[in-house]
Amino acid sequence: MINLDRRGGTRIEIGLAPVEKRGKGMADIQILVVEDEGIVARDIENTLTRLGYAVCDSASSGREAIIKAEARQPDLVLMDMDIVVEGKVAGVQAAGEIHDRLDIPVVYLSAYSDN
């Protein structure tokens, strides 16, 4: 479980267990982080690295995520589902395209809190 404090105490919790993939260890699992807030993206990357995962790259928009997923072929994408940039691909749309075209699993992230 990854716990990140964000925006004045809002807590993000991500349940992430080691992925078993043909004998790969956690350090061999390549993760693409998609988050439009730079400081949050760095925090997620640092947490994943501390837990022994390899972060292959990060993206701050849906379109950039698709391009980087095609280039890097990560094992997993952590996608902020709230990414919306005027007229550009949103997080949910990008995740669908990455999964459908590249067969890469996507885990959605959201900072939404109803507190």
Side-chain angles (χ1 to χ4, degrees):
M1 182 70 64
I2 302 170
N3 293 306
L4 305 172
D5 286 322
R6 181 174 179 184
R7 295 186 187 141
T10 301
R11 186 162 289 277
I12 301 171
E13 294 184 4
I14 306 167
L16 190 61
V19 179
E20 293 181 26
K21 185 174 181 179
R22 288 188 234 141
K24 283 189 173 184
M26 288 189 310
D28 298 323
I29 302 300
Q30 298 293 308
I31 300 175
L32 173 63
V33 175
V34 184
E35 169 60 60
D36 59 345
E37 293 187 40
I39 196 161
V40 175
R42 297 307 153 257
D43 192 27
I44 293 169
E45 291 170 18
N46 290 337
T47 301
L48 289 168
T49 301
R50 268 195 327 273
L51 290 171
Y53 291 92
V55 177
C56 65
D57 213 337
S58 65
S60 60
S61 71
R63 179 59 48 206
E64 183 183 11
I66 294 165
I67 291 167
K68 288 188 174 185
E70 288 174 336
R72 297 289 198 156
Q73 294 292 308
D75 297 295
L76 177 70
V77 175
L78 291 180
M79 172 76 68
D80 179 357
M81 63 187 286
D82 297 324
I83 292 177
V84 178
V85 181
E86 293 178 31
K88 306 244 169 122
V89 178
V92 174
Q93 293 168 316
E97 191 168 331
I98 289 168
H99 184 265
D100 293 345
R101 284 184 27 206
L102 304 171
D103 197 31
I104 297 171
V106 177
V107 175
Y108 291 106
L109 304 176
S110 177
Y112 177 77
S113 175
D114 58 359
N115 293 341

